[in-house]
Structures are given as C-alpha cells and as structure tokens.
Amino acid sequence: MRTLLDFERPIAELESRIDEMKRLAADKNLDVSAATAVLENQLVDLKKETFRNLTRWQRVQVSRHPDRPYTQDYLHRICTDFIEIHGDRQVADDKAIVGGFANIDGHPVMIIGQQKGRNTKERQYRNFGMPNPEGYRKALRLMKMAEKFNCPIITLIDTPGAFPGLEAEERGQGEAIARNLREMFMLTVPVICIVIGEGASGGALGIAIGDQVLMLENTWYSVISPESCSSILWRSWDYKEQAAEALKLTATDMSSNGLVDGIIPEPLGGAHLDHDRMSEILKGEIINRLIALQALSPEERINQRIEKFSKMGVFVE
C-alpha cells in the first residue's frame, strides 16, 4: 500500500477515479479514452499546483516519506561494480553509513551515503540513519582511500542527525565530525555532496564539505530539525510548522542564501513516486558536475572549496 501524506489525498482520490473508470471500461468493453484524458490532464495540473505551493513543513514531510529512495536504492540504479568497504579500523562497522568504490557510466568514484531502513528491523540495524563516530571515521577512511587512487568522491546525505547517545559521545562524536570537516576541505579529488532526504545538523555536515553541494527539490538542510527547534523555543513539538518556516530550511531557501550550489528537480509528485526516473536525473547531474570539476587542478578545487565556505554567513565586528 502506498503511504499518503495529508496533502496527497486529493491526488490519490483523482488517481483512484481514473483507475476505476479504466477498469469499468475494460470490463464492459467501452471507450472512455477521451474522458480519462481529461481527468489525467487534471491530475497533472493538480500535482503541479500542489507541489508548487508546499509549505516548508510539508517539504520536510516529503523528505521523510517512507517510500522515498534511500542511498542503497540509488546505488543499485546508478552504479555498476559497487564494492562495499566496511569498518573504520578502530571500533566497528557503522551500518548507518555505507560506502565503497563504484562505476557511474565509466567514471570510477567512491560513493558514501547515510542509509535508513524500510521497516522496524532495518531501522534498528541502520540506527535510523544516525551515524556513530565510527561511521564518520569510516567515511573519512574511504575518502582518504579514494584520494590515494585519485578517485572522485560522491556523498549522499540523509540523516536526522548524528547519534546523540552517551556511548557516541564517549567515543568522540564531536571530534570525529570536526576532523571530517577539516580533512574534506583539503581533499585533492573532486567532491560532490548531495542531500537526498534529511540534512540535519553536524550529522549531515560531517560528509557534506564539497566542491559542489546540491539538494534534491524536496529536501531540507538545517542546523536543527523543526521538532527539536519547537521543543527548545516553545517546550512542545506543536509548533514545528512555525519552526520550519522560521528556519528557512528548504532547497530554495538554501540556494537563495548561497549555502548550496544547485537544486536537483524531482519527478512530478516527488522522488518517492518514481525511483527509476529520480535515479536517472541524479545520475545525469553527477556526471555533468563531475566532468566540470575534473577539468580543474587539485589546487584550484581546494582554493575554490575553501573560498566558497568562507563566504557563508554574516558577521558584524
């Protein structure tokens, strides 16, 4: 069964009417092509109108849709010869982060991403996409390995945040993320970072320092989630919608503030409706950006990367 968000229900009802009309026509051998064509045009218009006018909180809901493609869904569709690499060589293999060497249309890359789960068992196994310190250390190990073989790096970001448990703090969660930030600035190979779902706080930033930082159309990227912001400011999650508006966390907001380098469009109705088409779009975007970055020297990429992030934000002396 398809999971429906509240604002998707009128769309689903119209789709159901069209399917029912086609079923009855097939049973009674009737030609209803003209009538269904009218309804299908209405459906397209309704989808465009609905997704054009989503609130920030509604886009957060779309980014969390349980049917939305995750990192491994993209790996299976855009990569060939994927070889997963495990462990940080210090503590353990964090299942919330997957990564390894792969080939994208003849381009060898190191691809690293945060992975959520589809059901309760998988979510527990993947720790709900919240990495521990060993996850960030694994990611850095893979990045350094990619640099050794002069292999571009692609990171896919989708996390509600780094794991906040006591054991994660004991093993140096803050230090692991901070080290990744420093080291990613100085990587000599092209780095492309893409927010494919949720991009929350340092948990996202730990693998998001790149030459190109991109966001899918219905994703969010912020220092804090709307619910957590609401709980701090209002002592309740009831104001999460107001918090989302104040945080200005959508792809459009991030782009207008110069915090990301581009927005990748999703299929009409959201990526959760068409994994294959979304993967095609993502693959094309990665290849185009990769070709442009490989034309630069390592020194040019590093200098541009540092300059880009140094310009972010506003300060008053």
Side-chain angles (χ1 to χ4, degrees):
M1 290 291 291
R2 175 177 152 197
T3 303
L4 292 175
L5 302 174
D6 289 342
F7 56 84
E8 290 183 303
R9 294 192 184 282
I11 296 172
E13 289 170 4
L14 186 51
E15 288 174 336
S16 180
R17 284 175 56 194
I18 294 170
D19 291 340
E20 181 68 14
M21 184 179 291
K22 288 180 178 178
R23 187 183 65 78
L24 291 174
D27 290 343
K28 298 183 178 181
N29 198 25
L30 299 174
D31 181 12
V32 295
S33 56
T36 55
V38 171
L39 289 178
E40 284 170 349
N41 288 334
Q42 291 179 1
L43 178 62
V44 171
D45 292 340
L46 179 59
K47 283 184 178 180
K48 288 180 178 178
E49 182 68 18
T50 300
F51 279 83
R52 185 186 304 120
N53 296 302
L54 291 181
T55 66
R56 291 182 173 92
W57 171 245
Q58 287 171 333
R59 291 204 186 274
V60 171
Q61 290 178 291
V62 176
S63 76
R64 297 170 173 171
H65 198 289
D67 300 331
R68 193 172 178 85
Y70 297 148
T71 291
Q72 288 191 321
D73 297 308
Y74 289 119
L75 289 178
H76 296 319
R77 287 172 171 81
I78 70 175
C79 299
T80 56
D81 306 319
F82 176 65
I83 302 173
E84 185 173 358
I85 302 172
H86 299 273
D88 70 339
R89 299 280 180 88
Q90 295 184 51
V91 177
D93 179 36
D94 191 337
K95 306 301 183 183
I97 287 187
V98 297
F101 286 108
N103 193 296
I104 302 178
D105 270 8
H107 297 270
V109 299
M110 173 68 77
I111 188 161
I112 302 164
Q114 289 148 334
Q115 175 67 27
K116 296 178 178 177
R118 291 283 174 205
N119 53 46
T120 302
K121 187 175 181 180
E122 283 184 15
R123 287 170 189 148
Q124 290 177 329
Y125 181 71
R126 299 289 179 184
N127 200 31
F128 299 85
M130 296 186 294
N132 279 280
E134 49 268 30
Y136 293 103
R137 292 179 179 128
K138 175 169 77 169
L140 182 58
R141 181 170 84 86
L142 268 56
M143 292 176 199
K144 289 296 187 180
M145 187 183 298
E147 187 177 42
K148 183 182 295 185
F149 292 102
N150 195 30
C151 191
I153 298 165
I154 313 295
T155 68
L156 302 179
I157 299 145
D158 187 12
T159 180
F163 183 58
L166 177 62
E167 61 272 31
E169 299 298 340
E170 288 174 341
R171 293 196 298 272
Q173 184 74 281
E175 185 275 338
I177 293 173
R179 182 181 293 274
N180 279 25
L181 303 186
R182 186 188 69 183
E183 296 293 338
M184 289 187 77
F185 273 114
M186 304 308 296
L187 290 170
T188 58
V189 295
V191 184
I192 300 174
C193 309
I194 306 168
V195 182
I196 61 171
E198 299 186 87
S201 192
L205 199 58
I207 59 168
I209 303 297
D211 303 295
Q212 293 284 296
V213 181
L214 311 171
M215 293 179 70
L216 267 58
E217 181 181 355
N218 295 306
T219 60
W220 65 274
Y221 194 17
S222 176
V223 69
I224 194 171
S225 71
E227 294 94 333
S228 296
C229 179
S230 174
S231 67
I232 291 171
L233 296 181
W234 288 283
R235 300 290 190 271
S236 168
W237 279 22
D238 296 339
Y239 299 91
K240 53 186 178 292
E241 295 182 37
Q242 293 94 314
E245 291 297 320
L247 286 168
K248 293 182 170 54
L249 38 59
T250 66
T252 303
D253 294 322
M254 294 293 106
S255 181
S256 63
N257 287 326
L259 300 175
V260 296
D261 301 296
I263 300 173
I264 301 175
E266 297 185 15
L268 185 60
H272 57 282
L273 294 182
D274 194 340
H275 290 200
D276 291 335
R277 178 59 186 149
M278 186 66 252
S279 298
E280 288 175 12
I281 295 171
L282 185 65
K283 181 179 179 179
E285 195 73 35
I286 289 172
I287 292 171
N288 291 338
R289 303 265 178 170
L290 204 53
I291 292 171
L293 288 172
Q294 287 176 323
L296 302 174
S297 69
E299 293 77 16
E300 288 175 314
R301 284 195 296 266
I302 291 172
N303 290 335
Q304 288 181 14
R305 200 182 299 156
I306 292 172
E307 184 179 2
K308 177 178 71 174
F309 281 91
S310 297
K311 287 181 178 179
M312 292 180 184
V314 176
F315 64 92
V316 178
E317 292 185 357

